[in-house]
Amino acid sequence: MSYSKNFWALTLGMFLFMTSFNLIIPELNGFITSLGGESYKGLIIGLFTVTAALSRPFSGKMADLVGRKSTMYVGTIVSIIMTLLYPFSGTILFFLTLRFFHGFSTGFLPTGATALVTDILPENKRGQGMGVFGTGIALGLGVGQGLGTPIANALTLNGLFIVSSLTALLSLLFIFSVKETLPHPQPFTLRIFKVKIEDVFEKNVLPAAMVMFLTTVCTGLVLVLTPDMSVYLNIENKGWYYVFYVVSTIAVRLFAGTLSDRIGRRQTLILGISFLIVAMLMTGNAKTEFWYTAASFIFGIATGISSPTLFAWMADLSPSHRRGVGSGTLFIALELGILFGSIGTMAVYSNTLESLRNAFNGGAIVAGLALIYIIIHLLFSKTNKYYKK
């Protein structure tokens, strides 16, 4: 299948955006520790996801009324500004405040981007197209996490923040070149931000959102705990897990997207979630660099299968005039899952290896709940393979 210039410009923009905010994540545990906030590590990801989730109803409505591109502009500009302000963090409160506001970037840009890419992909190839689009996202995540520590070592942490901001600026340039797909954009007014309950959730998307929530609890654990796990295993690069994760997730995304077009979204999700359970158990119980790396490969396979399938399922379920709200619903579930996982580490993880292992074992249990849910949904649903009415 060939893709348009619009598709590739959007994919490159998302790759750079994801690279930008992932560059700094491996070093933030150490940064907040240097400020005396070791016990607040869970808030680094937690606060970020709170604002991302809170902004979804507004960004979804804005994407459906004002335009996909305008929504993406908001997210990118916020990211540029926040990363430039991190070097001025002299207190825990100021740093956590920046993390809170930085979350608006992922609350807006991915919502607009997902609605736009859904507009330009044909329905019968949606899974495959989401796999390609998701590859750009996964590559940005892996490249960012993998390069964060080396850049900080070479340029200092402040230099890393500047590189992150410049990468977001490059993302903005690509987004400028994307053509708007909303048929009749409305002028921006503050009334757009007056939301009702129907602007928050697209009820047809809730089955996909439930699976997204349960599986991304594991992502929250990985984001918070793998930098420390690398330290316990004497691995210098704190983003090591994501370096190898990205290799496997990219390798399977195109296959997984095509698979869900052929056999169904839920059948494909059963496979992806099964890999996720194995990945959580392997990650938490790894005692050598080899097994830790192998676990990251399995985690990449799991997300490479599940992520494009969930977004394709969301696109199947969303009415065409509510794709912004539909994508926002799925992203709210994603952020709540990451929030639950990351904040949950504060209750389970006590900066010891044993408590870290317990946290990942708990993640395997939550992934098991997702597997049970999707199997029950498949067995008792009377709708077709896409669960479309």
Side-chain angles (χ1 to χ4, degrees):
M1 176 181 176
S2 59
Y3 299 99
S4 65
K5 292 181 180 179
N6 220 30
F7 176 87
W8 288 118
L10 181 63
T11 300
L12 285 170
M14 277 298 296
F15 160 71
L16 290 166
F17 174 78
M18 293 296 294
T19 300
S20 171
F21 85 81
N22 276 285
L23 276 170
I24 64 176
I25 289 178
E27 295 300 316
L28 292 184
N29 277 4
F31 185 63
I32 197 171
T33 298
S34 71
L35 295 175
E38 183 177 275
S39 60
Y40 298 105
K41 290 177 182 177
L43 293 179
I44 292 172
I45 302 299
L47 286 174
F48 188 94
T49 55
V50 165
T51 40
L54 289 175
S55 62
R56 294 295 179 189
F58 306 100
S59 61
K61 189 174 182 181
M62 184 175 177
D64 285 336
L65 297 178
V66 179
R68 320 308 197 192
K69 287 185 65 175
S70 299
T71 308
M72 290 189 282
Y73 289 152
V74 173
T76 316
I77 291 170
V78 168
S79 186
I80 293 169
I81 294 172
M82 290 301 108
T83 47
L84 284 176
L85 290 175
Y86 279 120
F88 299 98
S89 299
T91 65
I92 299 170
L93 178 61
F94 185 72
F95 169 70
L96 292 177
T97 300
L98 291 180
R99 289 302 294 169
F100 180 82
F101 284 106
H102 197 173
F104 283 108
S105 64
T106 57
F108 276 81
L109 191 147
T111 300
T114 303
L116 195 150
V117 78
T118 301
D119 293 338
I120 61 181
L121 289 174
E123 183 176 333
N124 65 333
K125 297 291 185 181
R126 192 169 280 155
Q128 181 182 357
M130 286 294 185
V132 176
F133 181 66
T135 296
I137 295 174
L139 187 60
L141 192 153
V143 169
Q145 293 264 351
L147 292 180
T149 297
I151 291 175
N153 290 340
L155 302 178
T156 73
L157 191 54
N158 287 344
L160 175 64
F161 291 136
I162 293 172
V163 170
S164 174
S165 185
L166 291 174
T167 306
L169 179 61
L170 286 176
S171 172
L172 183 62
L173 296 178
F174 275 98
I175 291 169
F176 270 127
S177 70
V178 174
K179 294 181 180 179
E180 179 61 65
T181 57
L182 188 67
H184 305 290
Q186 300 178 18
F188 175 82
T189 65
L190 290 178
R191 291 180 181 178
I192 291 170
F193 291 143
K194 184 179 180 180
V195 297
K196 302 176 182 178
I197 187 63
E198 58 264 29
D199 299 319
V200 179
F201 298 110
E202 170 51 53
K203 63 180 181 180
N204 292 315
V205 175
L206 292 180
M210 175 62 74
V211 179
M212 177 66 85
F213 169 76
L214 292 171
T215 54
T216 53
V217 167
C218 300
T219 304
L221 294 174
V222 167
L223 287 169
V224 174
L225 299 178
T226 53
D228 283 10
M229 187 66 166
S230 296
V231 173
Y232 288 129
L233 295 176
N234 298 313
I235 300 172
E236 182 179 358
N237 189 335
K238 299 185 184 84
W240 178 268
Y241 193 88
Y242 276 92
V243 172
F244 293 92
Y245 148 85
V246 75
V247 174
S248 59
T249 197
I250 289 174
V252 302
R253 274 179 185 264
L254 296 180
F255 165 76
T258 304
L259 181 66
S260 78
D261 286 333
R262 293 173 56 195
I263 71 170
R265 313 304 188 201
R266 292 167 294 177
Q267 291 87 338
T268 307
L269 286 169
I270 289 172
L271 179 63
I273 297 168
S274 298
F275 276 109
L276 180 61
I277 294 170
V278 174
M280 289 296 97
L281 293 172
M282 287 182 64
T283 302
N285 294 283
K287 297 181 180 179
T288 66
E289 183 178 311
F290 172 81
W291 285 109
Y292 184 60
T293 304
S296 73
F297 269 100
I298 302 298
F299 182 69
I301 293 171
T303 57
I305 293 173
S306 297
S307 180
T309 303
L310 282 168
F311 279 99
W313 197 20
M314 174 276 298
D316 295 335
L317 300 172
S318 295
S320 60
H321 66 287
R322 285 176 58 82
R323 283 175 178 159
V325 177
S327 62
T329 300
L330 196 64
F331 276 114
I332 288 173
L334 183 151
E335 268 117 26
L336 289 177
I338 293 175
L339 175 65
F340 187 87
S342 59
I343 295 295
T345 64
M346 297 177 66
V348 179
Y349 178 50
S350 56
N351 294 292
T352 66
L353 182 57
E354 182 180 359
S355 61
L356 186 148
R357 298 193 192 285
N358 290 336
F360 278 110
N361 290 336
I365 294 173
V366 176
L369 294 177
L371 183 61
I372 293 170
Y373 174 84
I374 201 69
I375 291 173
I376 292 174
H377 191 279
L378 179 62
L379 291 175
F380 289 92
S381 172
K382 296 181 180 179
T383 52
N384 68 20
K385 68 179 180 179
Y386 298 126
Y387 187 63
K388 291 169 69 178
K389 293 183 178 180

Short mmCIF file of all heavy atoms in Angstrom, two decimals, residues 58 61 65 188-195 199:
data_model
loop_
_atom_site.label_atom_id
_atom_site.label_comp_id
_atom_site.label_asym_id
_atom_site.label_seq_id
_atom_site.Cartn_x
_atom_site.Cartn_y
_atom_site.Cartn_z
N PHE A 58 -10.99 18.62 25.62
CA PHE A 58 -10.84 19.90 24.93
C PHE A 58 -10.15 19.72 23.59
O PHE A 58 -10.55 20.30 22.58
CB PHE A 58 -10.06 20.87 25.82
CG PHE A 58 -10.65 21.04 27.18
CD1 PHE A 58 -10.13 20.38 28.28
CD2 PHE A 58 -11.76 21.86 27.39
CE1 PHE A 58 -10.67 20.52 29.55
CE2 PHE A 58 -12.32 22.01 28.64
CZ PHE A 58 -11.78 21.34 29.72
N LYS A 61 -12.51 17.92 21.05
CA LYS A 61 -13.53 18.82 20.51
C LYS A 61 -12.90 19.83 19.56
O LYS A 61 -13.47 20.15 18.50
CB LYS A 61 -14.24 19.53 21.66
CG LYS A 61 -15.46 20.33 21.22
CD LYS A 61 -16.20 20.90 22.43
CE LYS A 61 -17.45 21.67 21.97
NZ LYS A 61 -18.18 22.25 23.14
N LEU A 65 -13.79 20.48 15.53
CA LEU A 65 -14.44 21.74 15.16
C LEU A 65 -13.49 22.73 14.49
O LEU A 65 -13.81 23.28 13.44
CB LEU A 65 -15.08 22.39 16.39
CG LEU A 65 -16.21 21.60 17.06
CD1 LEU A 65 -16.72 22.34 18.29
CD2 LEU A 65 -17.36 21.36 16.08
N PHE A 188 -11.65 29.64 15.81
CA PHE A 188 -11.44 29.33 17.22
C PHE A 188 -12.13 30.35 18.10
O PHE A 188 -12.01 31.56 17.91
CB PHE A 188 -9.95 29.32 17.54
CG PHE A 188 -9.67 29.11 19.01
CD1 PHE A 188 -9.67 27.84 19.55
CD2 PHE A 188 -9.43 30.19 19.85
CE1 PHE A 188 -9.43 27.64 20.90
CE2 PHE A 188 -9.18 30.00 21.20
CZ PHE A 188 -9.18 28.73 21.72
N THR A 189 -12.89 29.87 19.07
CA THR A 189 -13.48 30.71 20.11
C THR A 189 -13.36 29.97 21.44
O THR A 189 -13.23 28.74 21.47
CB THR A 189 -14.98 31.01 19.85
OG1 THR A 189 -15.72 29.78 19.93
CG2 THR A 189 -15.19 31.63 18.47
N LEU A 190 -13.42 30.71 22.52
CA LEU A 190 -13.31 30.09 23.84
C LEU A 190 -14.49 29.17 24.14
O LEU A 190 -14.41 28.30 25.00
CB LEU A 190 -13.21 31.17 24.92
CG LEU A 190 -11.89 31.97 24.94
CD1 LEU A 190 -11.94 33.04 26.02
CD2 LEU A 190 -10.70 31.03 25.16
N ARG A 191 -15.59 29.32 23.41
CA ARG A 191 -16.75 28.46 23.61
C ARG A 191 -16.43 27.00 23.31
O ARG A 191 -17.10 26.09 23.80
CB ARG A 191 -17.90 28.92 22.72
CG ARG A 191 -18.51 30.26 23.11
CD ARG A 191 -19.64 30.63 22.18
NE ARG A 191 -20.22 31.94 22.52
CZ ARG A 191 -21.20 32.52 21.84
NH1 ARG A 191 -21.72 31.89 20.78
NH2 ARG A 191 -21.67 33.70 22.21
N ILE A 192 -15.42 26.81 22.48
CA ILE A 192 -15.02 25.45 22.13
C ILE A 192 -14.60 24.67 23.38
O ILE A 192 -14.79 23.46 23.46
CB ILE A 192 -13.87 25.48 21.10
CG1 ILE A 192 -14.41 25.99 19.77
CG2 ILE A 192 -13.22 24.11 20.93
CD1 ILE A 192 -13.36 26.29 18.76
N PHE A 193 -14.05 25.38 24.36
CA PHE A 193 -13.57 24.73 25.57
C PHE A 193 -14.66 24.53 26.61
O PHE A 193 -14.38 24.13 27.74
CB PHE A 193 -12.41 25.51 26.16
CG PHE A 193 -11.17 25.46 25.30
CD1 PHE A 193 -10.36 26.57 25.18
CD2 PHE A 193 -10.82 24.31 24.63
CE1 PHE A 193 -9.21 26.52 24.39
CE2 PHE A 193 -9.69 24.25 23.85
CZ PHE A 193 -8.88 25.36 23.73
N LYS A 194 -15.91 24.81 26.22
CA LYS A 194 -17.04 24.47 27.09
C LYS A 194 -17.49 23.08 26.69
O LYS A 194 -18.13 22.87 25.66
CB LYS A 194 -18.18 25.47 26.90
CG LYS A 194 -19.36 25.23 27.84
CD LYS A 194 -20.45 26.27 27.64
CE LYS A 194 -21.62 26.02 28.58
NZ LYS A 194 -22.71 27.03 28.39
N VAL A 195 -17.15 22.09 27.51
CA VAL A 195 -17.38 20.70 27.12
C VAL A 195 -18.52 20.08 27.91
O VAL A 195 -18.78 20.45 29.06
CB VAL A 195 -16.10 19.85 27.31
CG1 VAL A 195 -14.98 20.35 26.41
CG2 VAL A 195 -15.66 19.82 28.76
N ASP A 199 -18.59 15.25 24.98
CA ASP A 199 -17.32 15.70 24.42
C ASP A 199 -16.13 15.01 25.09
O ASP A 199 -15.00 15.11 24.61
CB ASP A 199 -17.17 17.22 24.59
CG ASP A 199 -18.25 18.00 23.88
OD1 ASP A 199 -18.60 17.61 22.75
OD2 ASP A 199 -18.75 18.99 24.46
#
